[in-house]
Amino acid sequence: MAEENKEKQETLSRRRFLRNTGFTVGGLAVGGILGSLVPRGKDDNKNNPPAPQDQDFNQALMYFTPEQFRITEAATERIFPEDDNGPGAKALGVAYFIDHQLAGDWGFNARDYMQSPFFPGEKVQGYQGRLKRRDIFDIGLRELQNYSNTVGKKNFEELSGDEQDKILKDFEEDKVNLTTLSPSGFFQLLRSATLEGVYSDPLYGGNKNMDGWKMRNYPGSQMAYAEIIEKDFQKIKPQSLQSHMKH
């Protein structure tokens, strides 16, 4: 028994040492994420209560600055507002979806041909410029804020809903004089990204709790319908890709 107690004490001591100093990898002490991988004993949690079970770690900024996020959250809420049918873009986490997309290939236009020469395209051709989507959002959000301060004397997120609608409408109708990009082009990109965030799989940051799907009675990412395909129509509880990854 004495030997077992001694081994337990030594194990706890090693854990505390590793957690406090970090792992040593190739001569470099590494803490942070790696350090958090060391298992903790029951006595280690006295001063460190566990994180809430409902905490959503997917809702973290990857590209936006806090100001850009606030503008985007306010603008997307006006494009897809909360009403009697269900939550709006803010509650659905749409701004996080856009942030995550801009941080990845979509934001870099990784799958688009982006070489010159650049000519103004027809409306049916879509975007034909040299700016990447993340550049368009950077400029568009800055100009949206500048225009709000010029017209409404306040930041966009501080304006009333009607005032925000008027600002967005001016962008949509190209009533804002910009030399860097098309105001309507930015608005259309923002609107499309908003709708994608409302109805995308929650795995990508939006459609929180699958509420976007629930409003449409959309079943989500079901693996198969073999058990019900020959039965009468049934309302199915939506399922995310995240649930498949857990199995």
Side-chain angles (χ1 to χ4, degrees), residues 75-193:
T76 56
E77 180 67 18
R78 299 313 301 167
I79 294 173
F80 195 92
E82 179 179 357
D83 59 18
D84 294 338
N85 295 314
K90 181 177 181 179
L92 291 169
V94 169
Y96 285 107
F97 167 82
I98 297 175
D99 168 78
H100 294 182
Q101 293 301 304
L102 290 174
D105 288 348
W106 187 79
F108 284 105
N109 292 66
R111 297 186 180 183
D112 299 332
Y113 183 80
M114 298 292 291
Q115 300 299 318
S116 60
F118 299 101
F119 297 103
E122 300 295 332
K123 289 185 177 181
V124 295
Q125 293 179 300
Y127 177 67
Q128 299 290 309
R130 68 179 68 244
L131 294 175
K132 295 180 173 61
R133 293 187 185 94
R134 53 169 43 196
D135 299 325
I136 294 175
F137 265 89
D138 284 346
I139 297 171
L141 292 174
R142 183 178 68 242
E143 296 294 353
L144 189 66
Q145 192 75 300
N146 290 339
Y147 189 67
S148 298
N149 280 286
T150 300
V151 176
K153 308 303 180 184
K154 292 181 180 179
N155 289 337
F156 181 81
E157 65 272 23
E158 297 171 344
L159 297 173
S160 67
D162 290 340
E163 290 172 326
Q164 290 175 341
D165 289 347
K166 177 63 169 60
I167 297 293
L168 292 173
K169 194 70 175 177
D170 286 350
F171 269 76
E172 182 183 20
E173 297 177 353
D174 283 320
K175 293 181 179 179
V176 186
N177 185 23
L178 301 180
T179 58
T180 47
L181 52 72
S182 163
S184 61
F186 168 65
F187 175 81
Q188 292 301 329
L189 182 61
L190 176 63
R191 181 181 181 277
S192 297

Side-chain angles (χ1 to χ4, degrees), residues 174-224:
D174 283 320
K175 293 181 179 179
V176 186
N177 185 23
L178 301 180
T179 58
T180 47
L181 52 72
S182 163
S184 61
F186 168 65
F187 175 81
Q188 292 301 329
L189 182 61
L190 176 63
R191 181 181 181 277
S192 297
T194 298
L195 296 179
E196 290 174 14
V198 169
Y199 297 116
S200 68
D201 193 285
L203 180 69
Y204 301 104
N207 189 16
K208 189 174 182 180
N209 298 323
M210 296 179 283
D211 285 337
W213 289 347
K214 292 173 184 176
M215 285 189 283
R216 294 284 184 174
N217 291 325
Y218 179 67
S221 305
Q222 300 288 332
M223 291 295 289

